[in-house]
Amino acid sequence: MAGTGAHPLARAEHFIWLTARVLEQRRFAHRFLDGDPDPVETALTAYRNEDGGYAHALEPDLRGPVSQPLHTAHALGVLDSIGRCEGLRVERICRYLSDVSTKEGALPALLPLQRGYPAAPFVPLVDDPPAELLATGPIVGLLHRNEVWHAWLFRATDFCWSAVDALEQSHPYEIEAAIAFLDGAPDRTRAERAADRLGRLVRGQRLAVLDPARRAEYPVAPGYAPGEHHFPHDYARTPGSLARRWFTDEELERSLDHLAAEQREDGGWPVNWRQWAPGTALEGRPLVTLRALETLRSYGRPLG
């Protein structure tokens, strides 16, 4: 096991072995230690249900055995990270998405089947939940980026375009979902135009902290935890994202400097959203740590 060396990656490795779930340990080994992708896929299988969806706190803010779109989006992200967003497994996922979609052909954030099981108080549970860009956009963008073709995608894609075009007042997580859709949308010209408009919205509504030294001056979105700010790197997680166009080189470099400096003495990165249960606090930090490492590496930042 790696010790608590000075290099960011060695410190993060120690933190992951000490605190993370098996799935995040396998993901770390695959991404940063040249590990095989098979153990990642095996670990992910433990969260899959017979209906083709995923559950069992794969997304830590939702607990219990009921399949939910947010869990399934998380699962697709894992498969994408190991280059296995294809084949029979993804076909089953798309059938599940078709089964749980609203009349618009898109996904609600939370199905009412969650009732009786723990869920974060900031994820509203209603009897007839509406379709949301927050749940649908990242899945549609990821499937398009992996050249997955399924009948479900046609109406879901139309929903995402309509939702993105309608955005005027928004919040950071919805913008993240929008850019995840646009980064994978097949109509690249339309995606670029939409992204440019969203960039003006983000800057105009101050939805990104452009100077971390002055973060206290930036507003926190309603319902967010104190200090739950978003930075340029939260939107542009890779240099190839359309959100990269929203920020100057100086703004992005400051953001990445801030991200690197956020690593704690124990080797992990902190979470800035509201922690409502012990499990979410424990499981959230390894997920954030993996994301921080992946973002820094994508921009060529040295990890050791």
Side-chain angles (χ1 to χ4, degrees), residues 131-151:
E132 293 192 23
L133 180 62
L134 190 68
T136 311
I139 291 178
V140 173
L142 185 150
L143 292 175
H144 279 309
R145 193 171 67 250
N146 283 275
E147 299 183 347
V148 172
W149 293 105
H150 189 275

Side-chain angles (χ1 to χ4, degrees), residues 44-281:
L44 181 63
T45 300
Y47 296 90
R48 190 178 68 197
N49 282 336
E50 290 299 316
D51 61 7
Y54 288 76
H56 311 288
L58 178 57
E59 176 57 48
D61 281 329
L62 302 177
R63 323 297 291 187
V66 177
S67 296
Q68 290 286 353
L70 292 179
H71 291 308
T72 305
H74 193 130
L76 283 168
V78 173
L79 292 172
D80 178 55
S81 73
I82 60 174
R84 294 193 175 176
C85 193
E86 60 186 5
L88 183 58
R89 172 168 283 189
V90 174
E91 172 68 25
R92 289 172 176 164
I93 288 174
C94 287
R95 287 203 299 267
Y96 164 77
L97 297 174
S98 298
D99 290 343
V100 301
S101 289
T102 66
K103 62 182 183 297
E104 297 94 344
L107 299 168
L110 187 63
L111 300 171
L113 293 172
Q114 187 69 29
R115 186 168 281 108
Y117 299 103
F122 45 80
V123 184
L125 180 61
V126 297
D127 289 332
D128 188 20
E132 293 192 23
L133 180 62
L134 190 68
T136 311
I139 291 178
V140 173
L142 185 150
L143 292 175
H144 279 309
R145 193 171 67 250
N146 283 275
E147 299 183 347
V148 172
W149 293 105
H150 189 275
W152 176 77
L153 275 169
F154 291 100
R155 294 183 66 207
T157 300
D158 288 342
F159 170 85
C160 289
W161 278 125
S162 296
V164 168
D165 289 343
L167 284 179
E168 294 181 1
Q169 293 291 322
S170 190
H171 59 89
Y173 291 116
E174 188 173 49
I175 296 295
E176 282 190 28
I179 199 64
F181 164 68
L182 295 174
D183 278 343
D187 188 338
R188 301 312 300 153
T189 300
R190 184 177 179 182
E192 290 175 5
R193 288 199 303 266
D196 288 345
R197 186 181 73 83
L198 289 186
R200 293 190 293 271
L201 184 153
V202 166
R203 297 184 75 93
Q205 297 181 17
R206 304 185 75 203
L207 299 181
V209 175
L210 303 179
D211 183 355
R214 304 175 64 182
R215 65 184 296 178
E217 300 175 14
Y218 285 80
V220 175
Y224 284 37
E228 191 175 356
H229 292 104
H230 280 59
F231 297 83
H233 67 261
D234 290 310
Y235 300 108
R237 294 184 183 174
T238 69
S241 172
L242 289 174
R244 174 64 186 88
R245 301 146 64 108
W246 301 349
F247 309 108
T248 67
D249 290 345
E250 181 181 8
E251 288 166 349
L252 186 61
E253 287 302 309
R254 282 200 301 256
S255 179
L256 293 169
D257 287 344
H258 171 75
L259 177 62
E262 281 281 278
Q263 188 177 24
R264 298 299 190 245
E265 289 187 7
D266 62 8
W269 269 258
V271 298
N272 65 348
W273 63 86
R274 186 176 294 108
Q275 298 304 294
W276 59 278
T280 65

